[in-house]
Amino acid sequence: MKKKFQDIYRQISESIESEYYRAGDTLPSENQLAETYDTSRETIRKALKMLSEHGYIQKVQGKGSIVLDMSRINFPFSGVTSFRELSQKLGSRAKTEVVYLEQDLGHLEVESMVWHVHRIRHIDGERIILDKDVFSAEVIPQLTKAICETSIYDYIENELGLTISFAHKEIVIEEPSEEDRRYLDLADHHVIVVIKSYTYLDDTTLFQYTESRHRSDKFRFVDFARRVQR
Amino acid sequence: MKKKFQDIYRQISESIESEYYRAGDTLPSENQLAETYDTSRETIRKALKMLSEHGYIQKVQGKGSIVLDMSRINFPFSGVTSFRELSQKLGSRAKTEVVYLEQDLGHLEVESMVWHVHRIRHIDGERIILDKDVFSAEVIPQLTKAICETSIYDYIENELGLTISFAHKEIVIEEPSEEDRRYLDLADHHVIVVIKSYTYLDDTTLFQYTESRHRSDKFRFVDFARRVQR
DNA sequence: TTGACGAATTTGTATATACAAGCTAAACTA
DNA sequence: TAGTTTAGCTTGTATATACAAATTCGTCAA
């Protein structure tokens, strides 16, 4: 199937990012867009719903769809994103170093075989982030240093054909552990920002637990949030 | 209008929270639900979409809608939420103290009249959070100490009839300022978690800038996030 | 001039139909 | 028995229609 509404979403979001539509502008009406893209109004509405959820536009009944100012969202950390995808924005400034890779009998929801991966994320030559991952070996039978250095998410989605779907995340502040001190360039920063996340596949199986340990001065979390209705 | 799909969302979400449907269960099919609630399948789908976005269920094509384990989300901070709404979960353990309330010519997107509100949030008798708000006086003509002590959001939505819609948020770690030291019980915690947020109304007007300054040991950010498609 | 009213436009909700795509389990075949 | 196919279920996408609700703006009247 074509997934027309996703194509339309992509086209309009690109038009907003390239500033063909500017912040404050009103998009063409749903009926106009339906004619432009030779489709039905409902399909347009699905695309606009996505744009609204991702912070591109605000819909106002009776008025239209107003383009929002996306420029403030310059570090889209929200959502489930891999360091690989993030580092593409940083370019050559980011590097990954695998310091530990083992398979053993561990605990991830239930007792079973798991992979342990510890990685140091370098940014501008400094060791800023320590990622400690636990992966289910049932889901990921094989794991190599090369995969860990590039992108595990890429491997899971494109090589294994699995679909990563959602995550529970938690951010807390901790004292640096002995391990943090060894692997990170802490200087005189005396706290660590820890992002703990449980990541799930399409079929709701838990396949990853991560502790992403950040040097506090380099940590920044940016989010776009809609008010939830009660 | 009735907004059937919201009613259905509420009913099903309550059924999940009361554990009528348990984690791992499959909900009745969309066609069955449509018959049960005497409505069309599209209306059911809108309700299920909301449940999915809020982390209640996971939809799997060809299989059904699987109930997720919500129990890990015990401090739903994500989304745009007021301290008032949060403190309801804390019960009598939370208290608000207004330490500053002034109107003057300030800067919120453009030079105009604004309200400045500084509030200390007490939890279990300790001064944990310092909230520094800037409100547009155009949107909120009148503001009293009593309103600031209960809930400004409540006042805006129920008294003024305005609709709070979305926010840009940013979380960073900072050194405590002189003000932080004066107003908070910092003990020997030497960093502050700062949540900066810009909050907007329905019609995309910016009406609030907030710096919510938390003692780091009491800070916890919990989130449910779906993987964004590219 | 000002206010009230109403028509036109825009988004929101509800319903119906059709077919595609993915999963499961029964039926079938070698 | 073991593997394959198929039928029937599930959710996903696309389309069409109808009416409700909110906004905008022109028209009309006092």
Side-chain angles (χ1 to χ4, degrees):
Chain A
M1 181 147 292
K2 326 261 290 200
K3 295 192 181 174
K4 248 188 213 185
F5 74 92
Q6 287 198 3
D7 287 345
I8 295 169
Y9 163 80
R10 238 184 306 273
Q11 286 182 54
I12 297 179
S13 67
E14 278 164 17
S15 298
I16 292 173
E17 279 178 0
S18 70
E19 297 203 337
Y20 175 77
Y21 298 122
R22 301 242 165 97
D25 287 1
T26 304
L27 291 185
S29 78
E30 294 176 351
N31 284 316
Q32 278 176 285
L33 287 172
E35 205 165 332
T36 303
Y37 288 96
D38 189 33
T39 185
S40 67
R41 189 177 151 221
E42 276 304 314
T43 301
I44 293 293
R45 282 179 63 74
K46 276 184 194 164
L48 294 184
K49 181 113 192 287
M50 280 182 73
L51 288 166
S52 163
E53 282 163 1
H54 295 172
Y56 283 98
I57 62 169
Q58 174 70 14
K59 307 195 73 181
V60 184
Q61 186 170 1
K63 264 175 117 169
S65 299
I66 301 162
V67 178
L68 296 179
D69 182 12
M70 288 282 289
S71 64
R72 280 209 197 92
I73 314 178
N74 35 9
F75 197 72
F77 187 89
S78 194
V80 185
T81 310
S82 75
F83 184 79
R84 166 81 167 171
E85 290 160 315
L86 273 182
S87 67
Q88 287 178 344
K89 298 201 200 307
L90 295 172
S92 62
R93 295 166 55 198
K95 220 181 63 182
T96 295
E97 178 190 353
V98 179
V99 293
Y100 187 73
L101 172 58
E102 284 292 338
Q103 191 183 43
D104 67 9
L105 189 70
H107 200 85
L108 187 77
E109 206 161 47
V110 292
E111 192 91 0
S112 60
M113 292 308 286
V114 295
W115 289 99
H116 290 272
V117 184
H118 293 189
R119 289 177 289 182
I120 300 172
R121 312 297 199 169
H122 298 245
I123 297 173
D124 293 332
E126 280 190 301
R127 299 176 299 170
I128 303 296
I129 306 171
L130 174 61
D131 277 349
K132 298 168 67 174
D133 292 279
V134 180
F135 292 98
S136 160
E138 311 246 327
V139 175
I140 305 168
Q142 193 57 295
L143 204 52
T144 67
K145 201 167 168 229
I147 293 168
C148 294
E149 268 165 0
T150 54
S151 176
I152 297 179
Y153 271 32
D154 206 61
Y155 174 66
I156 291 169
E157 292 194 317
N158 298 329
E159 300 295 317
L160 298 179
L162 300 171
T163 306
I164 297 161
S165 184
F166 60 93
H168 289 292
K169 284 190 197 182
E170 183 182 335
I171 302 177
V172 291
I173 312 295
E174 290 185 6
E175 297 290 316
S177 67
E178 201 263 318
E179 197 181 23
D180 295 329
R181 265 187 264 271
R182 183 164 63 238
Y183 287 128
L184 298 179
D185 295 318
L186 287 184
D188 58 345
H189 305 98
H190 18 233
V191 294
I192 299 286
V193 181
V194 185
I195 304 169
K196 302 175 182 181
S197 58
Y198 297 86
T199 316
Y200 297 79
L201 295 177
D202 220 6
D203 59 0
T204 75
T205 58
L206 174 66
F207 82 99
Q208 177 187 22
Y209 170 73
T210 301
E211 274 192 34
S212 192
R213 308 176 69 84
H214 295 232
R215 203 175 85 183
S216 61
D217 65 315
K218 293 290 185 183
F219 174 80
R220 182 152 169 256
F221 179 97
V222 178
D223 195 19
F224 172 84
R226 291 201 167 271
R227 182 147 172 80
V228 296
Q229 60 266 55
R230 245 119 275 291
Chain B
M1 180 147 293
K2 326 261 291 199
K3 297 196 180 172
K4 250 189 211 185
F5 74 93
Q6 286 197 4
D7 287 345
I8 296 169
Y9 163 80
R10 240 185 304 274
Q11 285 182 56
I12 298 180
S13 67
E14 278 165 15
S15 299
I16 292 173
E17 278 179 358
S18 69
E19 298 204 335
Y20 176 76
Y21 298 121
R22 302 244 165 102
D25 286 1
T26 304
L27 290 185
S29 77
E30 294 175 351
N31 284 315
Q32 277 177 284
L33 288 171
E35 204 166 331
T36 303
Y37 288 98
D38 190 33
T39 184
S40 66
R41 190 179 149 218
E42 276 305 314
T43 301
I44 293 293
R45 282 178 63 75
K46 276 184 195 163
L48 294 184
K49 179 114 193 288
M50 281 182 73
L51 289 166
S52 164
E53 281 163 1
H54 295 173
Y56 283 99
I57 63 169
Q58 173 70 15
K59 307 196 73 181
V60 184
Q61 187 171 359
K63 270 174 108 169
S65 299
I66 301 162
V67 177
L68 297 178
D69 182 11
M70 289 282 288
S71 63
R72 279 210 198 89
I73 314 177
N74 35 9
F75 196 70
F77 186 87
S78 194
V80 185
T81 310
S82 75
F83 183 80
R84 168 79 167 171
E85 290 160 313
L86 274 181
S87 68
Q88 287 178 343
K89 296 199 201 305
L90 295 171
S92 62
R93 295 166 55 198
K95 221 181 61 185
T96 295
E97 177 190 351
V98 179
V99 293
Y100 186 75
L101 173 58
E102 284 293 339
Q103 191 182 41
D104 66 11
L105 190 70
H107 201 85
L108 187 76
E109 205 162 47
V110 292
E111 193 90 359
S112 60
M113 291 307 285
V114 295
W115 289 98
H116 289 273
V117 183
H118 294 189
R119 289 176 290 183
I120 300 171
R121 312 297 197 168
H122 299 245
I123 297 173
D124 293 332
E126 281 190 299
R127 300 176 297 168
I128 303 295
I129 306 171
L130 173 62
D131 277 349
K132 298 168 68 174
D133 292 279
V134 180
F135 291 97
S136 161
E138 310 247 326
V139 176
I140 304 167
Q142 193 57 297
L143 203 52
T144 66
K145 200 164 169 235
I147 293 168
C148 294
E149 268 163 1
T150 53
S151 175
I152 297 179
Y153 271 32
D154 207 60
Y155 174 66
I156 292 169
E157 293 194 316
N158 298 329
E159 300 295 317
L160 299 179
L162 300 171
T163 306
I164 297 160
S165 185
F166 61 93
H168 288 292
K169 285 189 196 183
E170 182 182 336
I171 302 177
V172 291
I173 311 296
E174 291 184 5
E175 297 289 317
S177 68
E178 200 264 318
E179 197 180 24
D180 295 329
R181 265 188 265 271
R182 182 162 64 239
Y183 287 127
L184 299 179
D185 295 317
L186 287 185
D188 58 346
H189 305 98
H190 19 235
V191 294
I192 299 285
V193 181
V194 186
I195 305 170
K196 303 176 181 180
S197 58
Y198 297 87
T199 315
Y200 297 79
L201 295 178
D202 221 9
D203 59 358
T204 75
T205 58
L206 175 66
F207 82 98
Q208 177 187 22
Y209 170 72
T210 300
E211 274 191 30
S212 193
R213 307 176 70 84
H214 294 234
R215 201 175 85 184
S216 61
D217 66 315
K218 292 291 186 184
F219 174 79
R220 182 152 169 258
F221 179 95
V222 179
D223 194 20
F224 172 84
R226 292 204 166 268
R227 182 147 172 81
V228 297
Q229 57 265 57
R230 247 119 269 293

